[in-house]
Amino acid sequence: MFRKLPSTLLPMALALVGSAAISTPPVRAQTGNAHASQPAAAQTTSPAWLQANSRAPNPANASPAAAPQPGTPAATAPTSPDPADPILVHRDPPPADPRAPKDFVENKTIAMPITGERALRASGAWDATVNPAAMGKDGRVIFAYGAGMPVVVCAPLRVCIIELERGEHIVSAPHIGDAVRWDVSLEFTGAADQNTPLVVLKPRDVGLDTSLFIPTDRRSYYIRLLAKSGAYTPMVAFEYPEDDQAKMQKEILHQEQQQKTQVSPITASVDALFYDYEIKGNGPFRPLRVMDDGAKTYIEMPAENAHRDLPALVIEGPAGDELVNFRVKDNYYIVDRLFDKAALLLSGGKHTEKVEIIRQRKLAHSTGSQNAPHGNSGDGSN
């Protein structure tokens, strides 16, 4: 039945059988599968990982292959696993933002430039500046605005209030770093046109440290907030040194403008005034000059006397000394009568300062206020 091959064809047949045994992977039996006896082409498609495993034969189950004969080609290496297989191929997780480029790699370590380092040092120096708190009325803790970062200490189950300047308007909602564990609300007190804004703070826990930003139509507030158990600051307010200085400068300019536009209370002409008065004494209220128009006496005082106590005016008459009232208009004391001799007196405890005013041309003593001949005789200041 079998024919014996010629001896010349035997080595070639053996080489073909060995090559087929090496290149053809064995088919693993499908234990328990009803379709195991069907041809491989008719079987249901297996998962990718199973197909990859079936393409890579297990050396333990492979049949031993005959050694290749000299001159035969080497056996082909098994195919590598499919790169698309998620089990056999390791992949980095995708970026959190799907809009990011595929080659984006987040760099969590950023080199700080010199400008940034200097800015951090300057900010840290301001943060470390002590802003001394002072006690105000009604238990307020007063901070000087701009002198350093204010620190407000709050406590759970307690209300902290930050009071801003009267008439100041908050232009947008305050911003807080920890909006989850802090409650922030706005209130107002006072009349509608000049009300005072209040920022109400309530922490929900202890051990909190955050910051608060309040924008207004006059300035911006940046405040550090702490939440601790126990002691807390119920109300915080501010004083504004720069604004106070600006108000003072404005008042000084206003007074200087008033002095430039002052109108002399003396309505008589210069030729009708009598200037011949002698002034004795060197008190701080020594008049610059004294004059009369025949009916009234005008005592011109230094401008700085507007902020000092007024002296008393005593007139020496035939019946004795008489305390006389006078009006003050700008830098002038106006006496509604004439006199020969008077004195300005200012008591300072046990010592009384005195400046005498003497008219060089005597009046008729019968009336005490009779008009006298007038003439421009100089200012009479000695």
Side-chain angles (χ1 to χ4, degrees), residues 65-134:
Q69 297 296 326
T72 59
T76 305
T79 58
S80 60
D82 187 0
D85 192 337
I87 296 180
L88 300 181
V89 178
H90 172 73
R91 290 182 178 180
D92 292 331
D97 191 347
R99 296 170 297 179
K102 294 182 179 180
D103 57 348
F104 172 76
V105 177
E106 183 179 4
N107 184 9
K108 296 184 178 182
T109 303
I110 301 176
M112 182 64 65
I114 297 178
T115 302
E117 293 179 356
R118 293 179 178 176
L120 288 176
R121 285 197 296 267
S123 177
W126 182 80
D127 190 10
T129 302
V130 177
N131 191 341

Side-chain angles (χ1 to χ4, degrees), residues 43-292:
Q43 292 182 1
T44 305
T45 304
S46 301
W49 63 270
L50 183 58
Q51 295 179 9
N53 289 340
S54 65
R55 288 193 296 268
N58 189 349
N61 298 331
S63 300
Q69 297 296 326
T72 59
T76 305
T79 58
S80 60
D82 187 0
D85 192 337
I87 296 180
L88 300 181
V89 178
H90 172 73
R91 290 182 178 180
D92 292 331
D97 191 347
R99 296 170 297 179
K102 294 182 179 180
D103 57 348
F104 172 76
V105 177
E106 183 179 4
N107 184 9
K108 296 184 178 182
T109 303
I110 301 176
M112 182 64 65
I114 297 178
T115 302
E117 293 179 356
R118 293 179 178 176
L120 288 176
R121 285 197 296 267
S123 177
W126 182 80
D127 190 10
T129 302
V130 177
N131 191 341
M135 180 59 66
K137 63 179 182 180
D138 300 332
R140 289 174 174 82
V141 176
I142 307 297
F143 289 104
Y145 178 82
M149 181 180 294
V151 178
V152 179
V153 182
C154 301
L157 305 179
R158 298 290 186 266
V159 174
C160 288
I161 299 175
I162 300 176
E163 183 183 63
L164 307 184
E165 190 178 21
R166 178 178 299 177
E168 193 169 11
H169 298 285
I170 299 177
V171 297
S172 64
H175 300 269
I176 189 169
D178 186 354
V180 175
R181 295 177 292 179
W182 288 80
D183 292 331
V184 183
S185 59
L186 298 179
E187 298 292 341
F188 301 89
T189 181
D193 55 342
Q194 285 293 320
N195 57 19
T196 301
L198 306 174
V199 180
V200 182
L201 304 170
K202 291 184 289 185
R204 299 183 180 181
D205 201 353
V206 297
L208 305 181
D209 187 350
T210 188
S211 57
L212 177 69
F213 173 69
I214 308 173
T216 73
D217 59 343
R218 298 180 182 176
R219 56 188 65 89
S220 297
Y221 297 84
Y222 194 84
I223 304 169
R224 183 179 178 184
L225 304 180
L226 301 178
K228 299 174 65 69
S229 60
Y232 68 104
T233 51
M235 180 170 286
V236 173
F238 293 88
E239 60 181 8
Y240 308 94
E242 294 184 358
D243 291 358
D244 294 342
Q245 186 176 4
K247 290 178 182 178
M248 185 179 299
Q249 292 291 339
K250 184 177 180 180
E251 181 64 24
I252 293 175
L253 292 175
H254 178 68
Q255 292 181 0
E256 292 178 351
Q257 188 66 24
Q258 279 188 334
Q259 292 178 2
K260 293 179 180 179
T261 58
Q262 279 182 356
V263 178
S264 175
I266 304 172
T267 58
S269 63
V270 176
D271 295 336
L273 296 176
F274 181 78
Y275 291 92
D276 198 3
Y277 283 85
E278 180 183 3
I279 302 173
K280 293 183 178 181
N282 294 312
F285 49 90
R286 175 186 171 91
L288 298 177
R289 59 181 177 173
V290 180
M291 66 204 78
D292 69 74

Side-chain angles (χ1 to χ4, degrees), residues 228-380:
K228 299 174 65 69
S229 60
Y232 68 104
T233 51
M235 180 170 286
V236 173
F238 293 88
E239 60 181 8
Y240 308 94
E242 294 184 358
D243 291 358
D244 294 342
Q245 186 176 4
K247 290 178 182 178
M248 185 179 299
Q249 292 291 339
K250 184 177 180 180
E251 181 64 24
I252 293 175
L253 292 175
H254 178 68
Q255 292 181 0
E256 292 178 351
Q257 188 66 24
Q258 279 188 334
Q259 292 178 2
K260 293 179 180 179
T261 58
Q262 279 182 356
V263 178
S264 175
I266 304 172
T267 58
S269 63
V270 176
D271 295 336
L273 296 176
F274 181 78
Y275 291 92
D276 198 3
Y277 283 85
E278 180 183 3
I279 302 173
K280 293 183 178 181
N282 294 312
F285 49 90
R286 175 186 171 91
L288 298 177
R289 59 181 177 173
V290 180
M291 66 204 78
D292 69 74
D293 59 2
K296 300 177 182 179
T297 303
Y298 303 92
I299 304 173
E300 185 178 1
M301 304 298 291
E304 56 268 20
N305 274 32
H307 306 287
R308 294 176 179 171
D309 295 335
L310 294 177
L313 178 63
V314 177
I315 292 179
E316 182 181 317
D321 295 341
E322 180 183 356
L323 183 64
V324 178
N325 293 327
F326 57 88
R327 303 190 309 274
V328 178
K329 183 174 179 59
D330 297 331
N331 296 334
Y332 289 88
Y333 295 170
I334 303 175
V335 186
D336 292 329
R337 59 182 288 184
L338 304 179
F339 54 81
D340 288 328
K341 187 176 181 180
L344 295 171
L345 304 176
L346 184 61
S347 177
K350 297 181 180 180
H351 178 67
T352 300
E353 295 180 302
K354 179 180 179 180
V355 175
E356 292 182 322
I357 303 173
I358 303 172
R359 196 175 196 273
Q360 297 301 300
R361 187 176 297 178
K362 301 298 183 181
L363 300 170
H365 293 289
S366 59
T367 61
S369 60
Q370 181 179 349
N371 292 353
H374 293 161
N376 191 346
S377 303
D379 58 8

